[in-house]
Amino acid sequence: MHTEIERKFLLLNDAWRREVTQTLVLRQGYLATDPGCTVRVRVSGPSAWLTIKGRNVDGSAPEFEYPIPASDAAAMLELLARKPLIEKKRHLVPRDGFTWEVDEFLGPNAGLLVAEIELESLDQPFPRPSWIGREVTGERQYYNASLVARPFSDW
């Protein structure tokens, strides 16, 4: 079992764009969105994964992730996933030994930008780039699974 420890932040400006080293296009859907357990299908290019996450407590959650055939993922997204699907560009921004993931949401969530950083422990210190704003870790409305039920365009 892997424990995911991540912190989420809003952005103050677009200065991070100058530091992007890679951009991925992600399409994902949720098969279950219970607060205690979410089940997600994600596709990026020719690759796909099934992810099961446990309850998030202070930015930490048990996570199980498995590669699956892209054709299975496409079928799950079409037939089983709650709509709307989450579509976003994930920009990778290496900084001070960490990689920030800046998610630029599309579709009904267009306009929302959230930066995430994964840590090895809850108390691990990390430098905050000048473009990082208010922390939203633990604020459910910013969880991808919550954006299905209440997209950013409805806020």
Side-chain angles (χ1 to χ4, degrees), residues 60-78:
S60 174
E63 179 181 72
F64 304 86
E65 188 164 75
Y66 308 97
I68 61 172
S71 58
D72 287 358
M76 288 182 213
L77 289 174
E78 181 182 334

mmCIF file of all heavy atoms in Angstrom, residues 60-78:
data_model
loop_
_atom_site.group_PDB
_atom_site.id
_atom_site.type_symbol
_atom_site.label_atom_id
_atom_site.label_comp_id
_atom_site.label_asym_id
_atom_site.label_seq_id
_atom_site.Cartn_x
_atom_site.Cartn_y
_atom_site.Cartn_z
ATOM 1 N N SER A 60 -3.236 13.303 3.787
ATOM 2 C CA SER A 60 -2.675 11.967 3.671
ATOM 3 C C SER A 60 -3.798 10.953 3.456
ATOM 4 O O SER A 60 -4.814 11.000 4.154
ATOM 5 C CB SER A 60 -1.904 11.620 4.949
ATOM 6 O OG SER A 60 -1.462 10.294 4.925
ATOM 7 N N ALA A 61 -3.600 10.048 2.483
ATOM 8 C CA ALA A 61 -4.618 9.042 2.193
ATOM 9 C C ALA A 61 -3.962 7.775 1.658
ATOM 10 O O ALA A 61 -3.010 7.846 0.880
ATOM 11 C CB ALA A 61 -5.605 9.571 1.158
ATOM 12 N N PRO A 62 -4.485 6.597 2.048
ATOM 13 C CA PRO A 62 -3.992 5.366 1.421
ATOM 14 C C PRO A 62 -4.404 5.356 -0.048
ATOM 15 O O PRO A 62 -5.505 5.788 -0.387
ATOM 16 C CB PRO A 62 -4.681 4.249 2.207
ATOM 17 C CG PRO A 62 -5.861 4.890 2.849
ATOM 18 C CD PRO A 62 -5.544 6.337 3.019
ATOM 19 N N GLU A 63 -3.497 4.887 -0.898
ATOM 20 C CA GLU A 63 -3.762 4.907 -2.336
ATOM 21 C C GLU A 63 -3.269 3.614 -2.971
ATOM 22 O O GLU A 63 -2.159 3.162 -2.696
ATOM 23 C CB GLU A 63 -3.050 6.099 -2.976
ATOM 24 C CG GLU A 63 -3.244 6.194 -4.471
ATOM 25 C CD GLU A 63 -2.497 7.367 -5.076
ATOM 26 O OE1 GLU A 63 -1.257 7.300 -5.142
ATOM 27 O OE2 GLU A 63 -3.153 8.327 -5.479
ATOM 28 N N PHE A 64 -4.102 3.036 -3.817
ATOM 29 C CA PHE A 64 -3.761 1.844 -4.577
ATOM 30 C C PHE A 64 -3.979 2.188 -6.045
ATOM 31 O O PHE A 64 -5.055 2.630 -6.418
ATOM 32 C CB PHE A 64 -4.673 0.676 -4.182
ATOM 33 C CG PHE A 64 -4.638 0.371 -2.707
ATOM 34 C CD1 PHE A 64 -5.474 1.055 -1.829
ATOM 35 C CD2 PHE A 64 -3.773 -0.585 -2.209
ATOM 36 C CE1 PHE A 64 -5.445 0.785 -0.473
ATOM 37 C CE2 PHE A 64 -3.734 -0.861 -0.844
ATOM 38 C CZ PHE A 64 -4.576 -0.178 0.027
ATOM 39 N N GLU A 65 -2.948 2.004 -6.876
ATOM 40 C CA GLU A 65 -3.060 2.384 -8.281
ATOM 41 C C GLU A 65 -2.545 1.251 -9.158
ATOM 42 O O GLU A 65 -1.479 0.693 -8.888
ATOM 43 C CB GLU A 65 -2.269 3.662 -8.547
ATOM 44 C CG GLU A 65 -2.484 4.227 -9.927
ATOM 45 C CD GLU A 65 -2.009 5.658 -10.023
ATOM 46 O OE1 GLU A 65 -0.781 5.860 -10.079
ATOM 47 O OE2 GLU A 65 -2.866 6.549 -10.035
ATOM 48 N N TYR A 66 -3.318 0.940 -10.221
ATOM 49 C CA TYR A 66 -2.994 -0.174 -11.084
ATOM 50 C C TYR A 66 -3.139 0.221 -12.550
ATOM 51 O O TYR A 66 -4.155 0.812 -12.930
ATOM 52 C CB TYR A 66 -3.954 -1.341 -10.804
ATOM 53 C CG TYR A 66 -4.018 -1.705 -9.341
ATOM 54 C CD1 TYR A 66 -5.034 -1.202 -8.532
ATOM 55 C CD2 TYR A 66 -3.040 -2.509 -8.762
ATOM 56 C CE1 TYR A 66 -5.080 -1.506 -7.178
ATOM 57 C CE2 TYR A 66 -3.083 -2.827 -7.407
ATOM 58 C CZ TYR A 66 -4.111 -2.322 -6.620
ATOM 59 O OH TYR A 66 -4.145 -2.618 -5.282
ATOM 60 N N PRO A 67 -2.148 -0.108 -13.376
ATOM 61 C CA PRO A 67 -2.326 0.127 -14.815
ATOM 62 C C PRO A 67 -3.404 -0.807 -15.358
ATOM 63 O O PRO A 67 -3.520 -1.959 -14.914
ATOM 64 C CB PRO A 67 -0.955 -0.198 -15.411
ATOM 65 C CG PRO A 67 -0.219 -0.977 -14.372
ATOM 66 C CD PRO A 67 -0.856 -0.701 -13.052
ATOM 67 N N ILE A 68 -4.206 -0.290 -16.282
ATOM 68 C CA ILE A 68 -5.252 -1.097 -16.916
ATOM 69 C C ILE A 68 -5.203 -0.836 -18.422
ATOM 70 O O ILE A 68 -4.660 0.182 -18.866
ATOM 71 C CB ILE A 68 -6.663 -0.783 -16.349
ATOM 72 C CG1 ILE A 68 -7.048 0.679 -16.585
ATOM 73 C CG2 ILE A 68 -6.744 -1.147 -14.871
ATOM 74 C CD1 ILE A 68 -8.506 0.996 -16.208
ATOM 75 N N PRO A 69 -5.781 -1.736 -19.227
ATOM 76 C CA PRO A 69 -5.813 -1.503 -20.676
ATOM 77 C C PRO A 69 -6.587 -0.214 -20.997
ATOM 78 O O PRO A 69 -7.643 0.054 -20.408
ATOM 79 C CB PRO A 69 -6.545 -2.729 -21.220
ATOM 80 C CG PRO A 69 -6.355 -3.785 -20.170
ATOM 81 C CD PRO A 69 -6.339 -3.042 -18.861
ATOM 82 N N ALA A 70 -6.052 0.566 -21.926
ATOM 83 C CA ALA A 70 -6.692 1.829 -22.312
ATOM 84 C C ALA A 70 -8.104 1.602 -22.828
ATOM 85 O O ALA A 70 -8.997 2.416 -22.594
ATOM 86 C CB ALA A 70 -5.840 2.550 -23.348
ATOM 87 N N SER A 71 -8.329 0.484 -23.497
ATOM 88 C CA SER A 71 -9.677 0.206 -24.014
ATOM 89 C C SER A 71 -10.658 -0.029 -22.863
ATOM 90 O O SER A 71 -11.813 0.397 -22.931
ATOM 91 C CB SER A 71 -9.666 -0.989 -24.965
ATOM 92 O OG SER A 71 -9.161 -2.141 -24.301
ATOM 93 N N ASP A 72 -10.214 -0.684 -21.796
ATOM 94 C CA ASP A 72 -11.067 -0.866 -20.611
ATOM 95 C C ASP A 72 -11.363 0.484 -19.970
ATOM 96 O O ASP A 72 -12.499 0.760 -19.571
ATOM 97 C CB ASP A 72 -10.410 -1.781 -19.582
ATOM 98 C CG ASP A 72 -10.407 -3.242 -19.987
ATOM 99 O OD1 ASP A 72 -10.953 -3.572 -21.062
ATOM 100 O OD2 ASP A 72 -9.853 -4.054 -19.225
ATOM 101 N N ALA A 73 -10.338 1.314 -19.854
ATOM 102 C CA ALA A 73 -10.522 2.635 -19.250
ATOM 103 C C ALA A 73 -11.521 3.464 -20.053
ATOM 104 O O ALA A 73 -12.404 4.107 -19.482
ATOM 105 C CB ALA A 73 -9.188 3.368 -19.153
ATOM 106 N N ALA A 74 -11.399 3.438 -21.367
ATOM 107 C CA ALA A 74 -12.329 4.198 -22.218
ATOM 108 C C ALA A 74 -13.762 3.718 -22.009
ATOM 109 O O ALA A 74 -14.689 4.535 -21.908
ATOM 110 C CB ALA A 74 -11.922 4.074 -23.684
ATOM 111 N N ALA A 75 -13.947 2.411 -21.911
ATOM 112 C CA ALA A 75 -15.290 1.866 -21.692
ATOM 113 C C ALA A 75 -15.822 2.268 -20.320
ATOM 114 O O ALA A 75 -16.992 2.636 -20.181
ATOM 115 C CB ALA A 75 -15.272 0.345 -21.841
ATOM 116 N N MET A 76 -14.977 2.210 -19.295
ATOM 117 C CA MET A 76 -15.406 2.611 -17.951
ATOM 118 C C MET A 76 -15.794 4.085 -17.911
ATOM 119 O O MET A 76 -16.793 4.448 -17.285
ATOM 120 C CB MET A 76 -14.292 2.346 -16.926
ATOM 121 C CG MET A 76 -14.078 0.894 -16.613
ATOM 122 S SD MET A 76 -12.774 0.740 -15.355
ATOM 123 C CE MET A 76 -12.040 -0.793 -15.837
ATOM 124 N N LEU A 77 -15.002 4.927 -18.581
ATOM 125 C CA LEU A 77 -15.314 6.355 -18.603
ATOM 126 C C LEU A 77 -16.655 6.605 -19.288
ATOM 127 O O LEU A 77 -17.444 7.429 -18.840
ATOM 128 C CB LEU A 77 -14.201 7.148 -19.291
ATOM 129 C CG LEU A 77 -12.894 7.262 -18.516
ATOM 130 C CD1 LEU A 77 -11.837 7.946 -19.372
ATOM 131 C CD2 LEU A 77 -13.084 8.008 -17.209
ATOM 132 N N GLU A 78 -16.906 5.889 -20.357
ATOM 133 C CA GLU A 78 -18.149 6.090 -21.101
ATOM 134 C C GLU A 78 -19.361 5.491 -20.385
ATOM 135 O O GLU A 78 -20.405 6.134 -20.267
ATOM 136 C CB GLU A 78 -18.036 5.483 -22.497
ATOM 137 C CG GLU A 78 -19.291 5.672 -23.324
ATOM 138 C CD GLU A 78 -19.191 5.026 -24.698
ATOM 139 O OE1 GLU A 78 -18.070 4.866 -25.214
ATOM 140 O OE2 GLU A 78 -20.242 4.669 -25.246
#
